[in-house]
């Protein structure tokens, strides 16, 4: 089944003319990203946009939402006065299924436990014309790749790994729910014109090396913020040499370098994937405009002239990588990893190895891993570590079961988990003898921040390809190098693992009995969306208050966060996922993972009213009850990680008025703006050190708040002294209106009321 074929035909029909007009306007050859971006402008332009500076309004082709973020997005959408979504949109139930014992039981438990939320998402999707993928259907990004992604398209999704669809040549960008509301309401979606990083791939991978190793190496080069504000475009003969799903793996994990998205050019590998997933019609349409779905020839010839930065990687020389622990950009070639384990005193014994997830759950990934599991059987080797497999979708799961791969995993003691996010996002009821024991796990996932997978700070999480993860599981040791090292089998013989083998695509094609899709009602006007007023899972939203029209004075310092402060630190997942549709309840996790710079503790801050130390949310609730606002101060790349807008909505809900940091991650800064919050950065990063624990803070200059104009922060210290310094912001005129109105949604509501 081909979804939305008429929309795709319309995009391709207009593409050649739009590309030629852009080429004429810019007066030069175009990269692929430029072709897609300019072809998706909300309104035509006669003036080029400046990368990294110009705010641009786009018209994405579609929206995708996962269940944890869809709740808040749709609670916002139902208040904006629309009868139906303006673009094709989908909801995917993948985040709320906890991995505990195995797929069947875990899925049944999730359906029972989350019935209220699933019923809400199903009914609201039905009402507003949204496609609904039921629990067990699969992880959003895998399902999108199998059904919706198409070369040259543009999509936004309420999950930071939405860029996965770049594996099929689509500009796919992770956003907060409020951005999704804009597009579903038919309004333009705003983004600062991205810079362009080109990654030239030469040669061809072989042996133990896989697509995952490319992005693991790139993460080591660019770090977790090196791609911020940029699209990473991969090109070269090396890029055309491997599978579409391998390309998707790279684009998926591009989120870990802060990239707006990542992108590959249309090629025969993409066409093959489209055909085998029932979309030969899309491949035929793409073939007709193939030249417009790739960079111009001159870009290939002289890439440094057209990209802001160029990285070259020779795939002939690339070796497998292992990244971690605690950050996805700490990159180790496998040849140097054992030494790093020893020198850093990381636990060498491997407790658990986990493959699958949205990043690496393709047929190719699973079949190559299964070949190693089969070797373990044939060579009389035991799996030394606990080993789990997470299929990315029911389509993949059904097919690998048909082809006997699940049976192979079963023979080595592997546990197959539900087609869901599970341990990758902290939805893992891990069995461990001592939660405080230093231990190591390795995954084929994308993130490995402290506590992310199992909630334990003692867990050292590493990231690698499914092949390397499986090999290390067989060895039970982090310091094992499958390219060079031998293992002793049950008979006492020394054996080596052969290189993994697999298939890019299933030889017999894909198969599935029930993919898990529910089409919306033709007419949703009679569908009732019920939210119980006594529910602790769902809560109807109330509009945030508009700006008072004055400077913000007398604000208290809530917390001065030290070091890495991701969205996991600001709004944890795991057990808190059940409250994603209830703003007040989930606000009880606000910043509980952030480290207080004044005592190096988490969830422990000084209450300026009482002098006592206590939990961050409780302290903020006390300030709010007493009519006081507050400021959160943070370090570099504040808010990196997930797209979850709860990390912006919770402080807004509890009365935080401004977030002041050294630098922001892109999605989080946008989320703050959408919710009417002030997101500010130190003009001089050293001013971070001036913030004292007992400070009262003023933010002045708001009466003349304007793009490019600094505001001023005044610190009133406890000893009676004061000092002030300038702070920067990136607000444009429209975003300032959001601030004044109390949030972007208030602006949409006002516009809808005027039209009514």
């Amino acid at each position: 089944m081909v979804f939305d074929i008429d929309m795709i035909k319309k995009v391709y029909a207009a593409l050649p003319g739009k590309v030629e007009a852009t080429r004429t306007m810019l007066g030069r050859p175009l990269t692929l990203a430029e072709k897609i971006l300019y072809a998706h402008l909300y309104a035509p332009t006669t003036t080029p946009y400046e990368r990294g500076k110009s705010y641009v309004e786009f018209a994405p082709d579609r929206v995708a939402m996962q269940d944890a973020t869809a709740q808040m997005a749709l609670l916002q959408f139902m208040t904006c006065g629309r009868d139906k979504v303006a673009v094709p949109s989908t909801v995917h139930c993948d985040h709320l299924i906890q991995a505990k014992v195995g797929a069947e039981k875990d899925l049944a438990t999730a359906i029972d436990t989350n019935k209220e939320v699933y019923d809400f998402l199903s009914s609201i999707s039905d009402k507003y014309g949204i496609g609904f993928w039921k629990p067990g259907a699969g992880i959003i990004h895998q399902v999108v790749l199998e059904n919706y992604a198409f070369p040259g398209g543009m999509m936004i999704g309420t999950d930071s790994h939405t860029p996965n669809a770049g594996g099929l040549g689509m500009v796919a960008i992770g956003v907060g729910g409020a951005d999704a509301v804009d597009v579903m309401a038919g309004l333009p979606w705003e983004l600062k014109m991205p810079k362009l990083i080109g990654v030239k791939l030469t040669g061809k991978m072989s042996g133990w090396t896989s697509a995952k190793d490319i992005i693991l190496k790139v993460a080591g080069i660019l770090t977790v913020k090196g791609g911020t504000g940029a699209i990473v475009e991969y090109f070269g003969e090396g890029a055309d040499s491997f599978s579409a799903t391998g390309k998707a793996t790279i684009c998926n994990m591009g989120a870990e370098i802060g990239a707006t998205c990542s992108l590959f050019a249309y090629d025969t590998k993409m066409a093959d994937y489209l055909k085998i997933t029932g979309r030969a019609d899309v491949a035929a349409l793409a073939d007709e405009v193939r030249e417009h779905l790739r960079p111009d020839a001159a870009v290939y010839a002289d890439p440094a002239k057209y990209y802001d930065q160029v990285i070259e990687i020779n795939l002939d020389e690339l070796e497998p990588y292992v990244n971690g622990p605690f950050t996805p950009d700490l990159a180790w070639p496998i040849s140097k990893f054992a030494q790093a384990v020893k020198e850093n005193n990381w636990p060498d014994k491997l407790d658990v190895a986990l493959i699958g997830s949205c990043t690496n759950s393709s047929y190719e990934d699973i079949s190559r891993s299964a070949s190693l599991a089969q070797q373990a059987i044939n060579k009389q080797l035991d799996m030394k570590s606990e080993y789990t497999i997470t299929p990315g979708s029911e389509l993949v799961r059904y097919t690998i079961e048909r082809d006997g791969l699940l049976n192979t995993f079963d023979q080595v003691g592997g546990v197959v988990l539900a087609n869901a996010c599970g341990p990758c996002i902290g939805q893992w009821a891990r069995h461990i003898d001592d939660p405080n024991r230093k231990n190591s796990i390795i995954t084929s996932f994308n993130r490995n921040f402290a506590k992310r997978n199992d909630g334990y700070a003692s867990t050292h999480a590493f990231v690698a390809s499914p092949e390397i993860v499986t090999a290390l599981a067989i060895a039970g040791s982090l310091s094992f190098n499958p390219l060079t090292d031998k293992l002793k089998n049950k008979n006492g013989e020394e054996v080596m693992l052969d290189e993994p083998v697999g298939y890019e695509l299933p030889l017999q094609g894909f198969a599935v009995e029930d993919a898990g899709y529910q089409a919306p009602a033709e007419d949703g006007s009679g569908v009732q969306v019920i939210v119980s007023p006594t529910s602790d899972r769902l809560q109807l939203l109330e509009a945030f208050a508009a700006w008072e029209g004055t400077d913000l004075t007398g604000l208290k310092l809530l917390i001065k966060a030290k070091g890495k402060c991701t969205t996991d630190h600001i709004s944890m997942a795991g057990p808190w996922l059940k409250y994603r549709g209830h703003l007040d309840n989930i606000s009880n996790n606000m910043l509980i993972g952030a480290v207080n710079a004044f005592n190096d503790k988490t969830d422990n801050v000084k209450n300026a009213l009482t002098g006592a130390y206590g939990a961050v949310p409780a302290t903020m609730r006390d300030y709010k009850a007493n009519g006081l606002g507050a400021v959160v101060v943070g370090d570099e790349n504040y808010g990196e990680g997930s797209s979850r807008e709860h990390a912006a909505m919770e402080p807004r809900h509890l009365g935080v008025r401004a977030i002041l940091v050294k630098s922001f991650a892109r999605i989080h800064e946008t989320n703050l703006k959408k919710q009417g919050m002030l997101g500010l950065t130190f003009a001089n990063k050293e001013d971070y050190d001036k913030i004292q624990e007992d400070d009262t803070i003023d933010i002045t200059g708001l009466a003349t708040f304007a793009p490019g104009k600094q505001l001023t922060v005044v610190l009133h210290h406890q000893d009676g002294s004061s000092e002030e310094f300038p702070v920067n912001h990136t607000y444009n005129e429209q975003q300032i209106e959001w601030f004044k109105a109390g949030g972007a949604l208030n602006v949409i509501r006002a516009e809808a009321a005027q039209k009514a």
Side-chain angles (χ1 to χ4, degrees):
M1 174 182 180
V2 180
F3 290 95
D4 311 309
I5 189 66
D6 290 338
M7 177 267 284
I8 296 171
K9 287 179 178 178
K10 186 177 177 182
V11 171
Y12 285 156
L15 187 62
K18 289 182 175 180
V19 169
E20 186 53 44
T22 303
R23 193 181 288 119
T24 300
M25 179 181 64
L26 295 182
R28 59 170 174 78
L30 302 176
T31 66
L32 175 57
E34 288 173 318
K35 293 180 180 183
I36 299 175
L37 291 171
Y38 277 94
H40 284 84
L41 296 178
Y42 192 79
T45 181
T46 56
T47 307
Y49 292 109
E50 189 175 354
R51 294 180 197 165
K53 291 189 176 180
S54 301
Y55 280 97
V56 185
E57 292 186 336
F58 292 101
D61 299 311
R62 65 177 315 111
V63 172
M65 298 166 280
Q66 41 94 336
D67 50 357
T69 52
Q71 295 172 64
M72 199 59 72
L74 293 176
L75 284 166
Q76 292 176 84
F77 180 77
M78 67 188 291
T79 71
C80 72
R82 303 302 199 268
D83 296 326
K84 192 173 183 178
V85 291
V87 301
S89 304
T90 52
V91 167
H92 304 259
C93 296
D94 61 358
H95 271 56
L96 300 179
I97 303 169
Q98 186 182 45
K100 192 170 185 179
V101 294
E104 190 172 337
K105 288 184 179 179
D106 292 346
L107 179 58
T109 299
I111 290 173
D112 179 57
T113 304
N114 303 309
K115 184 179 186 304
E116 178 185 13
V117 172
Y118 292 147
D119 287 348
F120 164 73
L121 292 173
S122 173
S123 63
I124 200 168
S125 296
D126 212 23
K127 183 173 183 65
Y128 292 110
I130 298 168
F132 180 72
W133 290 82
K134 294 178 281 191
I139 305 174
I140 176 172
H141 312 303
Q142 181 71 21
V143 173
V144 165
L145 197 73
E146 293 166 356
N147 295 277
Y148 299 114
F150 67 97
M154 174 184 264
M155 177 180 79
I156 61 170
T158 60
D159 189 281
S160 56
H161 294 101
T162 298
N164 190 83
L168 276 180
M170 192 174 203
V171 165
I173 301 173
V175 300
D179 279 350
V181 171
D182 283 350
V183 177
M184 290 190 292
L187 301 174
W189 172 63
E190 185 184 72
L191 177 74
K192 188 180 287 185
M193 182 59 84
K195 292 184 178 181
L196 298 179
I197 298 173
V199 180
K200 182 179 181 179
L201 301 178
T202 60
K204 189 174 182 179
M205 291 181 292
S206 62
W208 284 92
T209 307
S210 74
K212 183 64 165 277
D213 299 306
I214 297 174
I215 185 59
L216 292 175
K217 181 178 178 67
V218 170
I221 295 169
L222 288 176
T223 77
V224 290
K225 63 176 183 175
T228 301
I231 289 178
V232 181
E233 187 172 311
Y234 293 82
F235 64 94
E237 72 272 13
D240 293 337
S241 69
F242 57 91
S243 66
T245 51
K247 294 175 171 69
T249 291
I250 292 168
C251 294
N252 177 297
M253 198 175 161
E256 306 335 309
I257 57 173
T260 301
C261 69
S262 300
L263 188 63
F264 280 84
Y266 180 62
D267 60 12
T268 56
K269 298 290 190 181
M270 293 187 192
D272 291 344
Y273 186 77
L274 287 167
K275 291 170 186 174
I276 204 169
T277 51
R279 293 173 287 170
D281 290 356
V282 178
L285 289 168
D287 286 338
E288 292 177 8
V289 293
R290 188 178 188 275
E291 66 180 290
H292 305 300
L293 299 174
R294 296 180 65 83
D296 288 341
V299 174
Y300 282 124
D302 189 8
K305 189 174 178 181
Y306 302 98
Y307 296 101
D308 298 290
Q309 179 182 355
V310 177
I311 296 168
E312 292 194 30
I313 297 175
N314 184 346
L315 301 184
D316 291 333
E317 300 172 356
L318 182 67
E319 64 176 299
Y321 270 73
V322 180
N323 286 23
F326 307 131
T327 184
D329 60 352
L330 188 59
W332 305 97
I334 192 73
S335 59
K336 297 181 180 178
F337 184 55
Q339 182 183 351
V341 171
K342 184 177 181 180
E343 289 179 355
N344 290 282
N345 197 30
W346 296 325
D348 182 55
K349 179 181 179 293
L350 184 61
D351 278 29
V352 193
L354 307 97
I355 68 165
S357 85
C358 68
T359 320
N360 280 105
S361 58
S362 66
Y363 189 88
E364 181 178 26
D365 292 327
I366 299 297
S367 63
R368 281 172 62 88
S369 298
S371 78
L372 292 168
Q374 187 62 52
Q375 282 191 55
I377 297 167
N378 297 343
K379 295 175 186 277
Q380 298 288 299
L381 292 164
D382 285 324
M383 254 318 161
K384 295 290 197 306
S385 303
E386 187 180 332
Y387 184 61
T388 72
I389 304 95
T390 302
S393 69
E394 179 58 15
L395 183 73
V396 167
R397 190 212 63 79
Y398 189 93
T399 304
I400 62 176
E401 181 178 43
R402 179 202 67 189
D403 293 351
L405 304 184
L406 288 188
N407 182 56
T408 301
F409 290 131
D410 185 60
Q411 288 183 61
V412 296
V415 176
V416 178
L417 302 175
N419 313 324
C421 300
C424 185
I425 60 162
Q427 281 284 59
W428 184 21
R430 184 181 173 191
H431 315 290
I432 187 169
D433 54 350
D434 178 6
N436 297 313
R437 173 175 60 83
K438 282 178 63 176
N439 71 98
S440 292
I441 67 171
I442 192 166
T443 80
S444 69
F445 306 162
N446 41 45
R447 287 197 179 131
N448 60 342
F449 303 136
K451 302 184 182 180
R452 178 173 174 86
N453 301 119
D454 58 11
Y456 303 136
S458 55
T459 296
H460 294 58
F462 299 87
V463 178
S465 69
E467 299 93 321
I468 293 297
V469 171
T470 303
L472 267 58
I474 295 169
S477 166
L478 282 182
S479 57
F480 173 67
N481 182 350
L483 284 70
T484 58
D485 298 347
K486 294 181 178 179
L487 294 169
K488 191 166 287 189
N489 70 6
K490 296 175 186 176
N491 302 322
E493 303 163 330
E494 287 195 333
V495 297
M496 281 191 74
L497 293 173
D498 302 320
E499 294 173 350
V501 294
Y503 301 94
E504 285 186 15
L505 300 167
L507 298 179
Q508 301 176 58
F510 284 106
V512 70
E513 285 185 348
D514 178 8
Y517 176 69
Q518 173 186 296
E522 285 292 325
D523 179 5
S525 59
V527 177
Q528 294 295 312
V529 178
I530 301 173
V531 176
S532 169
T534 59
S535 172
D536 70 347
R537 298 288 301 271
L538 298 164
Q539 180 187 46
L540 294 176
L541 295 174
E542 295 181 3
F544 290 132
W547 173 54
E548 305 91 323
T550 62
D551 288 337
L552 302 181
T553 60
L555 304 177
K556 298 302 179 185
L557 175 67
L558 177 61
I559 185 173
K560 180 179 176 179
K562 175 183 176 182
K564 189 183 286 286
C565 192
T566 72
T567 48
D568 277 308
H569 296 89
I570 304 167
S571 176
M572 286 186 178
W576 292 95
L577 280 171
K578 63 184 177 183
Y579 297 125
R580 284 285 180 87
H582 197 294
L583 182 55
D584 193 56
N585 282 347
I586 199 169
S587 293
N588 288 322
N589 78 357
M590 184 190 71
L591 286 158
I592 62 176
V595 176
N596 182 355
F598 297 110
N599 59 13
D600 287 333
K601 295 180 179 179
T602 58
D603 202 22
N604 188 267
V605 294
K606 187 175 183 179
N607 185 323
L609 298 177
T610 66
Y613 284 84
V616 181
T619 302
M620 192 61 232
R621 287 185 187 277
D622 194 18
Y623 292 162
K624 183 178 181 180
N626 284 278
L628 295 172
V631 175
V632 170
V633 173
D635 214 318
E636 296 280 7
N637 208 31
Y638 182 89
E640 72 173 272
S642 167
S643 70
R644 67 192 69 157
E645 65 184 340
H646 300 76
M649 294 184 78
E650 292 173 31
R652 182 75 168 98
H653 172 65
L654 292 184
V656 174
R657 300 304 301 272
I659 311 292
L660 172 60
V661 300
K662 293 180 181 178
S663 64
F664 281 110
R666 175 189 63 84
I667 300 177
H668 186 64
E669 184 178 22
T670 300
N671 286 345
L672 291 169
K673 293 176 178 180
K674 284 282 185 178
Q675 300 303 332
M677 179 84 83
L678 276 178
L680 308 172
T681 55
F682 291 100
N684 301 299
K685 293 183 179 181
E686 296 77 15
D687 289 338
Y688 170 91
D689 299 322
K690 295 178 181 177
I691 309 290
Q692 298 177 19
E693 189 172 28
D694 295 295
D695 283 349
T696 297
I697 303 168
D698 300 337
I699 300 172
T700 64
L702 290 172
T704 54
F705 193 10
K709 185 177 181 181
Q710 291 180 323
L711 298 174
T712 299
V713 164
V714 183
L715 304 179
H716 301 282
H717 300 311
Q718 192 177 40
D719 63 5
S721 65
S722 296
E723 57 185 319
E724 63 181 56
F725 50 81
V727 291
N728 297 332
H729 67 85
T730 60
Y731 287 73
N732 59 25
E733 293 285 2
Q734 183 184 53
Q735 294 165 350
I736 290 171
E737 289 307 308
W738 296 343
F739 167 74
K740 291 179 177 178
L745 196 55
N746 289 351
V747 175
I748 297 175
R749 290 188 186 111
E751 291 173 353
Q754 288 176 354
K755 294 176 182 177

